[in-house]
Amino acid sequence: MRISTSGTRRWTLAAALCGVLITGCSSGGGDGGEAKPHAKPAAEPKPLAETALHPLLLTQADLGTGYVHLQEKPGGDKFDDVAVQGCPALEKLGQSGEEKMFAAKAETSFTYKRDATLGEELHSDRPSVLSGKLRQLFGAYTSCPTYTMTAGTTPIKVKVTKSATPDLGDEQFAYTSTMELPSGAQVLKTMAVRKGSVAVMLAGAPALVDRHMKTAVGKLPARG
């Protein structure tokens, strides 16, 4: 997830790193299960196109007062200067880019009262692909309780803990990251909920992620 880094200095770096903490890396195929010898696999729903995902994103009207939408600038950086050390699973994922992780993607981001951020990504693919890659992605991010992230020349210590998830959709994943920034500790929560062939991911201030995930999932189409 890319979150704009324009705005006050208090959350600029945290907002940029928030993008890296969600899908700032790519992954391989989904988990495979044992095939039943005489069972014909059911046809899976096809992925939605990017144009169909955009209307499903959260808006200022969904969020309420105090939120400002951040406009993405074309040709912005892709966090090429951000690297991870001390966590083999994340280092392995970071060897390739994020853009083709799923078949389709749409994203948006907001600031809240100028000192907190909330970013959203919608991804669509076949349910088995979404499930397998989400498990791999969140598994990698929660595989190391601590690691170091370098943004440019600034080393940042990151602590990660698994988080509770709400009973929404078909699958849920969440973790919380505490980053020791030069300006002080910043806590960010990343949560994903898969509903059929669409997954919604929210990342940002923990209270904002918890507050708006139900609304975000409610905008997704019925399972099909």
Side-chain angles (χ1 to χ4, degrees):
M1 173 183 292
R2 295 191 64 248
I3 296 181
S4 172
T5 57
S6 62
T8 62
R9 296 291 293 179
R10 291 181 60 189
W11 54 264
T12 296
L13 184 55
L17 295 178
C18 182
V20 181
L21 292 175
I22 189 164
T23 54
C25 50
S26 182
S27 63
D31 296 338
E34 292 186 8
K36 296 181 180 179
H38 302 291
K40 183 179 179 180
E44 290 191 285
K46 294 182 179 180
L48 297 183
E50 181 180 346
T51 54
L53 291 177
H54 279 285
L56 307 178
L57 290 167
L58 291 170
T59 66
Q60 287 175 281
D62 296 318
L63 299 175
T65 58
Y67 292 84
V68 176
H69 181 244
L70 294 174
Q71 297 291 338
E72 291 289 342
K73 295 182 179 181
D77 68 87
K78 293 291 183 179
F79 306 109
D80 291 335
D81 62 343
V82 177
V84 170
Q85 299 87 34
C87 186
L90 286 182
E91 292 176 33
K92 183 178 179 180
L93 286 180
Q95 291 172 358
S96 53
E98 63 162 306
E99 296 305 322
K100 298 299 182 181
M101 185 174 185
F102 299 110
K105 170 184 175 181
E107 61 187 315
T108 190
S109 55
F110 303 86
T111 60
Y112 178 64
K113 295 185 177 179
R114 299 186 64 84
D115 61 358
T117 62
L118 178 67
E120 180 187 22
E121 285 185 358
L122 293 177
H123 296 279
S124 187
D125 214 315
R126 291 181 293 111
S128 62
V129 174
L130 277 177
S131 179
K133 289 188 176 181
L134 286 171
R135 287 177 182 277
Q136 185 175 6
L137 178 67
F138 278 78
Y141 272 104
T142 56
S143 65
C144 302
T146 61
Y147 63 89
T148 300
M149 177 182 294
T150 302
T153 59
T154 304
I156 299 166
K157 291 184 178 180
V158 183
K159 297 180 180 179
V160 180
T161 58
K162 291 184 178 180
S163 302
T165 57
D167 185 14
L168 296 170
D170 298 313
E171 290 182 285
Q172 315 85 25
F173 310 86
Y175 64 87
T176 300
S177 305
T178 302
M179 299 181 295
E180 298 297 335
L181 302 175
S183 58
Q186 289 280 348
V187 180
L188 297 173
K189 188 171 187 176
T190 303
M191 184 185 298
V193 173
R194 181 184 69 82
K195 183 180 178 183
S197 61
V198 181
V200 56
M201 296 188 189
L202 296 183
L208 302 186
V209 172
D210 291 339
R211 183 184 307 168
H212 297 295
M213 179 54 85
K214 185 175 181 179
T215 301
V217 174
K219 299 189 71 170
L220 302 185
R223 301 170 185 85

